[in-house]
Amino acid sequence: MISLGIPITIVSGFLGAGKTTLINQALNASELPREEIIIIENEVGQTGIDHELLLHTKERVLQLNNGCMCCSLREDLITTLASIEEVTKEWQVPLSQIIIETTGIADPQPIIQTILTTPILRNTYYIDSLLTVVDRQNCSIYQNEPVSLKQIALADRIVFALKEGDTVSNCSEIVATLTEINPLADFIYFSETAPITATDFFHLDKFQATEGLNESLATQTEVERTNEPHSRDHHHKDLHGHSHRSAVHQHDEHGFQTVLLTTECELNEAALIRWIDWLLFANQELYRFKGIIALENRELAVAVQGVNQQVSFQLTPLEKTTTKIVLIGKNLASKKIEETFNQLCITYKQ
């Protein structure tokens, strides 16, 4: 997938997980000139650096202060990114990458919405990926801290920080739990002795991507089948014999749900849009969804994705086969979602 503009990588993760270590490893591994990378940090209570002074610093680190970026500093984020664009153009300074490092207690969703919905930003920048850093030592926090779970649920890639005494194998149970929360994300590992590469961090283009949806769906379906009775696995036939399937897995401890929907029938575009409108209106805590859609009167598959109330459609080069949609959220009207999707799949053509 080709994206135009300056990529923004958002690095999230709870307090002490290893966000700064990850960013430092990425910088050390990158072949991009350091002066072409700007890092925006949210340091509560710290003194910010003037936008123009930023361009004279070697590391080009800009600090936002006086609050959490996801709430009181949203306007500051808009101003900062707009000012960066203005100053770099005026001074003809090349800019290749923005990295936003959130605080450990920040919900990344408002940051994503700010970038997606602000015209002066979306014409210049695009979200490349949201990376969430986790570690085994703080795993108990993830189970009880809503913000941490939100960071995981919204991630495009979960980056596991292996610390002293950790191995990939002894973290497997945690990884399995995180996969249940967010089947859309992939996993990589890093440590002080096994740092990431530049290709693990930069130009991933995962925020819009749907290429891994087939694997995510297969993995989550297997989880559903092995976790009865907490899962529901429904198969239906429409009037032409096409099958459509939906499944729900709910995590009782914190209420997170993943809803998986598939159908072999082609969907009507206008009906799909009406269904998505209903989906967003009726499920206020639907945090993220992605899908590959087979539409009537389209030669190729269409990708759809949403973050909260923001939805986008993109043409793909993929062959039009099975529709697959994954939804992640809390307090979802899962039964109604299944019923309405099943109704959407029914065709009455003779």
Side-chain angles (χ1 to χ4, degrees), residues 172-202:
S172 59
E173 185 174 342
I174 300 170
V175 170
T177 299
L178 300 183
T179 301
E180 292 181 8
I181 296 173
N182 183 352
L184 294 173
D186 65 6
F187 279 80
I188 64 169
Y189 300 84
F190 78 100
S191 67
E192 294 284 357
T193 57
I196 64 166
T197 66
T199 56
D200 292 327
F201 188 95
F202 294 103

PDB file of all heavy atoms in Angstrom, residues 172-202:
ATOM      1  N   SER A 172       4.899 -16.630  26.537  1.00  0.00           N
ATOM      2  CA  SER A 172       3.911 -17.098  25.560  1.00  0.00           C
ATOM      3  C   SER A 172       2.482 -16.987  26.075  1.00  0.00           C
ATOM      4  O   SER A 172       1.557 -16.686  25.305  1.00  0.00           O
ATOM      5  CB  SER A 172       4.215 -18.539  25.156  1.00  0.00           C
ATOM      6  OG  SER A 172       4.193 -19.390  26.293  1.00  0.00           O
ATOM      7  N   GLU A 173       2.259 -17.215  27.366  1.00  0.00           N
ATOM      8  CA  GLU A 173       0.902 -17.139  27.912  1.00  0.00           C
ATOM      9  C   GLU A 173       0.375 -15.715  27.846  1.00  0.00           C
ATOM     10  O   GLU A 173      -0.800 -15.483  27.511  1.00  0.00           O
ATOM     11  CB  GLU A 173       0.882 -17.631  29.355  1.00  0.00           C
ATOM     12  CG  GLU A 173      -0.514 -17.702  29.951  1.00  0.00           C
ATOM     13  CD  GLU A 173      -0.517 -18.324  31.337  1.00  0.00           C
ATOM     14  OE1 GLU A 173       0.468 -18.993  31.705  1.00  0.00           O
ATOM     15  OE2 GLU A 173      -1.517 -18.138  32.044  1.00  0.00           O
ATOM     16  N   ILE A 174       1.240 -14.750  28.150  1.00  0.00           N
ATOM     17  CA  ILE A 174       0.835 -13.349  28.066  1.00  0.00           C
ATOM     18  C   ILE A 174       0.521 -12.978  26.627  1.00  0.00           C
ATOM     19  O   ILE A 174      -0.472 -12.314  26.335  1.00  0.00           O
ATOM     20  CB  ILE A 174       1.945 -12.433  28.620  1.00  0.00           C
ATOM     21  CG1 ILE A 174       2.239 -12.771  30.075  1.00  0.00           C
ATOM     22  CG2 ILE A 174       1.551 -10.971  28.489  1.00  0.00           C
ATOM     23  CD1 ILE A 174       3.467 -12.090  30.623  1.00  0.00           C
ATOM     24  N   VAL A 175       1.377 -13.418  25.713  1.00  0.00           N
ATOM     25  CA  VAL A 175       1.168 -13.129  24.302  1.00  0.00           C
ATOM     26  C   VAL A 175      -0.168 -13.694  23.826  1.00  0.00           C
ATOM     27  O   VAL A 175      -0.896 -13.041  23.075  1.00  0.00           O
ATOM     28  CB  VAL A 175       2.331 -13.676  23.454  1.00  0.00           C
ATOM     29  CG1 VAL A 175       2.010 -13.597  21.965  1.00  0.00           C
ATOM     30  CG2 VAL A 175       3.609 -12.910  23.751  1.00  0.00           C
ATOM     31  N   ALA A 176      -0.505 -14.894  24.273  1.00  0.00           N
ATOM     32  CA  ALA A 176      -1.780 -15.503  23.886  1.00  0.00           C
ATOM     33  C   ALA A 176      -2.958 -14.658  24.372  1.00  0.00           C
ATOM     34  O   ALA A 176      -3.939 -14.463  23.642  1.00  0.00           O
ATOM     35  CB  ALA A 176      -1.871 -16.918  24.446  1.00  0.00           C
ATOM     36  N   THR A 177      -2.857 -14.123  25.590  1.00  0.00           N
ATOM     37  CA  THR A 177      -3.918 -13.272  26.124  1.00  0.00           C
ATOM     38  C   THR A 177      -4.043 -11.985  25.328  1.00  0.00           C
ATOM     39  O   THR A 177      -5.148 -11.543  24.993  1.00  0.00           O
ATOM     40  CB  THR A 177      -3.639 -12.941  27.601  1.00  0.00           C
ATOM     41  OG1 THR A 177      -3.609 -14.151  28.361  1.00  0.00           O
ATOM     42  CG2 THR A 177      -4.714 -12.023  28.161  1.00  0.00           C
ATOM     43  N   LEU A 178      -2.898 -11.382  25.004  1.00  0.00           N
ATOM     44  CA  LEU A 178      -2.916 -10.136  24.239  1.00  0.00           C
ATOM     45  C   LEU A 178      -3.457 -10.363  22.831  1.00  0.00           C
ATOM     46  O   LEU A 178      -4.120  -9.490  22.268  1.00  0.00           O
ATOM     47  CB  LEU A 178      -1.505  -9.540  24.185  1.00  0.00           C
ATOM     48  CG  LEU A 178      -0.863  -9.195  25.531  1.00  0.00           C
ATOM     49  CD1 LEU A 178       0.500  -8.549  25.323  1.00  0.00           C
ATOM     50  CD2 LEU A 178      -1.768  -8.293  26.352  1.00  0.00           C
ATOM     51  N   THR A 179      -3.184 -11.526  22.269  1.00  0.00           N
ATOM     52  CA  THR A 179      -3.703 -11.853  20.946  1.00  0.00           C
ATOM     53  C   THR A 179      -5.215 -11.959  20.970  1.00  0.00           C
ATOM     54  O   THR A 179      -5.892 -11.584  20.005  1.00  0.00           O
ATOM     55  CB  THR A 179      -3.089 -13.169  20.430  1.00  0.00           C
ATOM     56  OG1 THR A 179      -1.666 -13.033  20.377  1.00  0.00           O
ATOM     57  CG2 THR A 179      -3.613 -13.527  19.059  1.00  0.00           C
ATOM     58  N   GLU A 180      -5.770 -12.471  22.055  1.00  0.00           N
ATOM     59  CA  GLU A 180      -7.219 -12.539  22.189  1.00  0.00           C
ATOM     60  C   GLU A 180      -7.820 -11.143  22.246  1.00  0.00           C
ATOM     61  O   GLU A 180      -8.883 -10.891  21.681  1.00  0.00           O
ATOM     62  CB  GLU A 180      -7.603 -13.328  23.434  1.00  0.00           C
ATOM     63  CG  GLU A 180      -7.279 -14.811  23.357  1.00  0.00           C
ATOM     64  CD  GLU A 180      -7.698 -15.560  24.600  1.00  0.00           C
ATOM     65  OE1 GLU A 180      -8.369 -14.943  25.458  1.00  0.00           O
ATOM     66  OE2 GLU A 180      -7.373 -16.745  24.728  1.00  0.00           O
ATOM     67  N   ILE A 181      -7.142 -10.221  22.952  1.00  0.00           N
ATOM     68  CA  ILE A 181      -7.642  -8.853  23.054  1.00  0.00           C
ATOM     69  C   ILE A 181      -7.580  -8.154  21.709  1.00  0.00           C
ATOM     70  O   ILE A 181      -8.500  -7.448  21.313  1.00  0.00           O
ATOM     71  CB  ILE A 181      -6.835  -8.069  24.109  1.00  0.00           C
ATOM     72  CG1 ILE A 181      -7.046  -8.676  25.500  1.00  0.00           C
ATOM     73  CG2 ILE A 181      -7.235  -6.588  24.118  1.00  0.00           C
ATOM     74  CD1 ILE A 181      -6.158  -8.080  26.568  1.00  0.00           C
ATOM     75  N   ASN A 182      -6.476  -8.353  21.000  1.00  0.00           N
ATOM     76  CA  ASN A 182      -6.292  -7.674  19.715  1.00  0.00           C
ATOM     77  C   ASN A 182      -5.755  -8.649  18.670  1.00  0.00           C
ATOM     78  O   ASN A 182      -4.549  -8.805  18.505  1.00  0.00           O
ATOM     79  CB  ASN A 182      -5.327  -6.496  19.870  1.00  0.00           C
ATOM     80  CG  ASN A 182      -5.167  -5.714  18.575  1.00  0.00           C
ATOM     81  OD1 ASN A 182      -5.655  -6.117  17.524  1.00  0.00           O
ATOM     82  ND2 ASN A 182      -4.481  -4.594  18.654  1.00  0.00           N
ATOM     83  N   PRO A 183      -6.650  -9.312  17.937  1.00  0.00           N
ATOM     84  CA  PRO A 183      -6.204 -10.256  16.914  1.00  0.00           C
ATOM     85  C   PRO A 183      -5.666  -9.579  15.660  1.00  0.00           C
ATOM     86  O   PRO A 183      -5.144 -10.243  14.773  1.00  0.00           O
ATOM     87  CB  PRO A 183      -7.473 -11.053  16.605  1.00  0.00           C
ATOM     88  CG  PRO A 183      -8.577 -10.108  16.894  1.00  0.00           C
ATOM     89  CD  PRO A 183      -8.119  -9.286  18.067  1.00  0.00           C
ATOM     90  N   LEU A 184      -5.793  -8.240  15.567  1.00  0.00           N
ATOM     91  CA  LEU A 184      -5.308  -7.527  14.392  1.00  0.00           C
ATOM     92  C   LEU A 184      -3.816  -7.226  14.456  1.00  0.00           C
ATOM     93  O   LEU A 184      -3.191  -6.961  13.431  1.00  0.00           O
ATOM     94  CB  LEU A 184      -6.079  -6.214  14.219  1.00  0.00           C
ATOM     95  CG  LEU A 184      -7.564  -6.340  13.896  1.00  0.00           C
ATOM     96  CD1 LEU A 184      -8.225  -4.960  13.915  1.00  0.00           C
ATOM     97  CD2 LEU A 184      -7.778  -7.010  12.561  1.00  0.00           C
ATOM     98  N   ALA A 185      -3.250  -7.232  15.654  1.00  0.00           N
ATOM     99  CA  ALA A 185      -1.845  -6.846  15.810  1.00  0.00           C
ATOM    100  C   ALA A 185      -0.913  -8.038  15.608  1.00  0.00           C
ATOM    101  O   ALA A 185      -1.270  -9.175  15.900  1.00  0.00           O
ATOM    102  CB  ALA A 185      -1.625  -6.255  17.203  1.00  0.00           C
ATOM    103  N   ASP A 186       0.296  -7.749  15.120  1.00  0.00           N
ATOM    104  CA  ASP A 186       1.331  -8.764  15.122  1.00  0.00           C
ATOM    105  C   ASP A 186       2.289  -8.497  16.285  1.00  0.00           C
ATOM    106  O   ASP A 186       2.164  -7.482  16.980  1.00  0.00           O
ATOM    107  CB  ASP A 186       2.065  -8.842  13.774  1.00  0.00           C
ATOM    108  CG  ASP A 186       2.858  -7.578  13.446  1.00  0.00           C
ATOM    109  OD1 ASP A 186       2.948  -6.669  14.313  1.00  0.00           O
ATOM    110  OD2 ASP A 186       3.399  -7.485  12.337  1.00  0.00           O
ATOM    111  N   PHE A 187       3.224  -9.412  16.520  1.00  0.00           N
ATOM    112  CA  PHE A 187       4.127  -9.335  17.663  1.00  0.00           C
ATOM    113  C   PHE A 187       5.571  -9.380  17.203  1.00  0.00           C
ATOM    114  O   PHE A 187       5.920 -10.145  16.292  1.00  0.00           O
ATOM    115  CB  PHE A 187       3.895 -10.512  18.622  1.00  0.00           C
ATOM    116  CG  PHE A 187       2.736 -10.328  19.555  1.00  0.00           C
ATOM    117  CD1 PHE A 187       1.441 -10.553  19.119  1.00  0.00           C
ATOM    118  CD2 PHE A 187       2.935  -9.921  20.862  1.00  0.00           C
ATOM    119  CE1 PHE A 187       0.366 -10.388  19.966  1.00  0.00           C
ATOM    120  CE2 PHE A 187       1.869  -9.751  21.717  1.00  0.00           C
ATOM    121  CZ  PHE A 187       0.573  -9.987  21.275  1.00  0.00           C
ATOM    122  N   ILE A 188       6.417  -8.576  17.843  1.00  0.00           N
ATOM    123  CA  ILE A 188       7.861  -8.745  17.741  1.00  0.00           C
ATOM    124  C   ILE A 188       8.440  -8.606  19.150  1.00  0.00           C
ATOM    125  O   ILE A 188       7.770  -8.112  20.062  1.00  0.00           O
ATOM    126  CB  ILE A 188       8.527  -7.741  16.781  1.00  0.00           C
ATOM    127  CG1 ILE A 188       8.376  -6.305  17.302  1.00  0.00           C
ATOM    128  CG2 ILE A 188       7.974  -7.869  15.371  1.00  0.00           C
ATOM    129  CD1 ILE A 188       9.231  -5.305  16.538  1.00  0.00           C
ATOM    130  N   TYR A 189       9.672  -9.030  19.321  1.00  0.00           N
ATOM    131  CA  TYR A 189      10.343  -8.980  20.617  1.00  0.00           C
ATOM    132  C   TYR A 189      11.635  -8.182  20.490  1.00  0.00           C
ATOM    133  O   TYR A 189      12.258  -8.154  19.419  1.00  0.00           O
ATOM    134  CB  TYR A 189      10.676 -10.397  21.103  1.00  0.00           C
ATOM    135  CG  TYR A 189       9.469 -11.291  21.278  1.00  0.00           C
ATOM    136  CD1 TYR A 189       8.926 -11.984  20.195  1.00  0.00           C
ATOM    137  CD2 TYR A 189       8.878 -11.450  22.524  1.00  0.00           C
ATOM    138  CE1 TYR A 189       7.821 -12.809  20.343  1.00  0.00           C
ATOM    139  CE2 TYR A 189       7.777 -12.283  22.689  1.00  0.00           C
ATOM    140  CZ  TYR A 189       7.257 -12.952  21.599  1.00  0.00           C
ATOM    141  OH  TYR A 189       6.166 -13.766  21.754  1.00  0.00           O
ATOM    142  N   PHE A 190      12.015  -7.541  21.590  1.00  0.00           N
ATOM    143  CA  PHE A 190      13.322  -6.884  21.607  1.00  0.00           C
ATOM    144  C   PHE A 190      13.860  -6.879  23.035  1.00  0.00           C
ATOM    145  O   PHE A 190      13.124  -7.054  24.011  1.00  0.00           O
ATOM    146  CB  PHE A 190      13.233  -5.457  21.066  1.00  0.00           C
ATOM    147  CG  PHE A 190      12.672  -4.443  22.038  1.00  0.00           C
ATOM    148  CD1 PHE A 190      13.509  -3.591  22.750  1.00  0.00           C
ATOM    149  CD2 PHE A 190      11.299  -4.336  22.252  1.00  0.00           C
ATOM    150  CE1 PHE A 190      13.000  -2.657  23.644  1.00  0.00           C
ATOM    151  CE2 PHE A 190      10.782  -3.414  23.140  1.00  0.00           C
ATOM    152  CZ  PHE A 190      11.630  -2.564  23.837  1.00  0.00           C
ATOM    153  N   SER A 191      15.153  -6.684  23.138  1.00  0.00           N
ATOM    154  CA  SER A 191      15.810  -6.578  24.436  1.00  0.00           C
ATOM    155  C   SER A 191      17.066  -5.732  24.270  1.00  0.00           C
ATOM    156  O   SER A 191      17.392  -5.309  23.147  1.00  0.00           O
ATOM    157  CB  SER A 191      16.173  -7.972  24.977  1.00  0.00           C
ATOM    158  OG  SER A 191      17.181  -8.568  24.169  1.00  0.00           O
ATOM    159  N   GLU A 192      17.762  -5.504  25.361  1.00  0.00           N
ATOM    160  CA  GLU A 192      19.010  -4.740  25.286  1.00  0.00           C
ATOM    161  C   GLU A 192      20.037  -5.468  24.437  1.00  0.00           C
ATOM    162  O   GLU A 192      20.827  -4.843  23.721  1.00  0.00           O
ATOM    163  CB  GLU A 192      19.568  -4.508  26.698  1.00  0.00           C
ATOM    164  CG  GLU A 192      18.705  -3.620  27.574  1.00  0.00           C
ATOM    165  CD  GLU A 192      18.818  -2.146  27.215  1.00  0.00           C
ATOM    166  OE1 GLU A 192      19.622  -1.824  26.321  1.00  0.00           O
ATOM    167  OE2 GLU A 192      18.104  -1.330  27.826  1.00  0.00           O
ATOM    168  N   THR A 193      20.042  -6.782  24.492  1.00  0.00           N
ATOM    169  CA  THR A 193      21.044  -7.564  23.750  1.00  0.00           C
ATOM    170  C   THR A 193      20.552  -8.001  22.376  1.00  0.00           C
ATOM    171  O   THR A 193      21.334  -8.463  21.554  1.00  0.00           O
ATOM    172  CB  THR A 193      21.451  -8.810  24.551  1.00  0.00           C
ATOM    173  OG1 THR A 193      20.281  -9.588  24.842  1.00  0.00           O
ATOM    174  CG2 THR A 193      22.124  -8.398  25.854  1.00  0.00           C
ATOM    175  N   ALA A 194      19.251  -7.884  22.119  1.00  0.00           N
ATOM    176  CA  ALA A 194      18.683  -8.242  20.817  1.00  0.00           C
ATOM    177  C   ALA A 194      17.791  -7.097  20.350  1.00  0.00           C
ATOM    178  O   ALA A 194      16.562  -7.172  20.407  1.00  0.00           O
ATOM    179  CB  ALA A 194      17.895  -9.542  20.907  1.00  0.00           C
ATOM    180  N   PRO A 195      18.402  -6.000  19.894  1.00  0.00           N
ATOM    181  CA  PRO A 195      17.630  -4.818  19.509  1.00  0.00           C
ATOM    182  C   PRO A 195      16.839  -5.031  18.220  1.00  0.00           C
ATOM    183  O   PRO A 195      17.109  -5.951  17.450  1.00  0.00           O
ATOM    184  CB  PRO A 195      18.709  -3.748  19.314  1.00  0.00           C
ATOM    185  CG  PRO A 195      19.945  -4.515  18.957  1.00  0.00           C
ATOM    186  CD  PRO A 195      19.853  -5.806  19.732  1.00  0.00           C
ATOM    187  N   ILE A 196      15.882  -4.163  18.014  1.00  0.00           N
ATOM    188  CA  ILE A 196      15.092  -4.218  16.790  1.00  0.00           C
ATOM    189  C   ILE A 196      15.915  -3.693  15.621  1.00  0.00           C
ATOM    190  O   ILE A 196      16.943  -3.044  15.803  1.00  0.00           O
ATOM    191  CB  ILE A 196      13.791  -3.405  16.910  1.00  0.00           C
ATOM    192  CG1 ILE A 196      14.102  -1.912  17.105  1.00  0.00           C
ATOM    193  CG2 ILE A 196      12.900  -3.935  18.007  1.00  0.00           C
ATOM    194  CD1 ILE A 196      12.908  -1.012  16.894  1.00  0.00           C
ATOM    195  N   THR A 197      15.434  -3.969  14.415  1.00  0.00           N
ATOM    196  CA  THR A 197      16.023  -3.406  13.208  1.00  0.00           C
ATOM    197  C   THR A 197      15.166  -2.238  12.735  1.00  0.00           C
ATOM    198  O   THR A 197      14.037  -2.045  13.219  1.00  0.00           O
ATOM    199  CB  THR A 197      16.111  -4.454  12.094  1.00  0.00           C
ATOM    200  OG1 THR A 197      14.772  -4.815  11.702  1.00  0.00           O
ATOM    201  CG2 THR A 197      16.857  -5.694  12.574  1.00  0.00           C
ATOM    202  N   ALA A 198      15.665  -1.478  11.795  1.00  0.00           N
ATOM    203  CA  ALA A 198      14.904  -0.350  11.263  1.00  0.00           C
ATOM    204  C   ALA A 198      13.604  -0.811  10.616  1.00  0.00           C
ATOM    205  O   ALA A 198      12.571  -0.139  10.706  1.00  0.00           O
ATOM    206  CB  ALA A 198      15.753   0.423  10.257  1.00  0.00           C
ATOM    207  N   THR A 199      13.639  -1.976   9.977  1.00  0.00           N
ATOM    208  CA  THR A 199      12.439  -2.480   9.299  1.00  0.00           C
ATOM    209  C   THR A 199      11.382  -2.986  10.276  1.00  0.00           C
ATOM    210  O   THR A 199      10.253  -3.265   9.871  1.00  0.00           O
ATOM    211  CB  THR A 199      12.810  -3.609   8.316  1.00  0.00           C
ATOM    212  OG1 THR A 199      13.507  -4.638   9.022  1.00  0.00           O
ATOM    213  CG2 THR A 199      13.689  -3.081   7.197  1.00  0.00           C
ATOM    214  N   ASP A 200      11.743  -3.118  11.557  1.00  0.00           N
ATOM    215  CA  ASP A 200      10.764  -3.476  12.579  1.00  0.00           C
ATOM    216  C   ASP A 200       9.951  -2.269  13.029  1.00  0.00           C
ATOM    217  O   ASP A 200       8.931  -2.430  13.705  1.00  0.00           O
ATOM    218  CB  ASP A 200      11.456  -4.068  13.811  1.00  0.00           C
ATOM    219  CG  ASP A 200      12.087  -5.409  13.548  1.00  0.00           C
ATOM    220  OD1 ASP A 200      11.534  -6.168  12.737  1.00  0.00           O
ATOM    221  OD2 ASP A 200      13.145  -5.689  14.152  1.00  0.00           O
ATOM    222  N   PHE A 201      10.414  -1.071  12.661  1.00  0.00           N
ATOM    223  CA  PHE A 201       9.848   0.153  13.246  1.00  0.00           C
ATOM    224  C   PHE A 201       9.374   1.145  12.196  1.00  0.00           C
ATOM    225  O   PHE A 201       8.272   1.680  12.299  1.00  0.00           O
ATOM    226  CB  PHE A 201      10.910   0.818  14.129  1.00  0.00           C
ATOM    227  CG  PHE A 201      10.430   1.977  14.948  1.00  0.00           C
ATOM    228  CD1 PHE A 201      10.022   1.799  16.259  1.00  0.00           C
ATOM    229  CD2 PHE A 201      10.403   3.261  14.418  1.00  0.00           C
ATOM    230  CE1 PHE A 201       9.585   2.874  17.027  1.00  0.00           C
ATOM    231  CE2 PHE A 201       9.962   4.349  15.161  1.00  0.00           C
ATOM    232  CZ  PHE A 201       9.554   4.148  16.477  1.00  0.00           C
ATOM    233  N   PHE A 202      10.180   1.396  11.180  1.00  0.00           N
ATOM    234  CA  PHE A 202       9.884   2.444  10.218  1.00  0.00           C
ATOM    235  C   PHE A 202       9.164   1.901   8.978  1.00  0.00           C
ATOM    236  O   PHE A 202       9.404   0.777   8.549  1.00  0.00           O
ATOM    237  CB  PHE A 202      11.178   3.140   9.772  1.00  0.00           C
ATOM    238  CG  PHE A 202      11.865   3.908  10.866  1.00  0.00           C
ATOM    239  CD1 PHE A 202      12.988   3.384  11.496  1.00  0.00           C
ATOM    240  CD2 PHE A 202      11.399   5.151  11.269  1.00  0.00           C
ATOM    241  CE1 PHE A 202      13.632   4.085  12.508  1.00  0.00           C
ATOM    242  CE2 PHE A 202      12.034   5.858  12.273  1.00  0.00           C
ATOM    243  CZ  PHE A 202      13.154   5.327  12.899  1.00  0.00           C
TER     244      PHE A 202
END
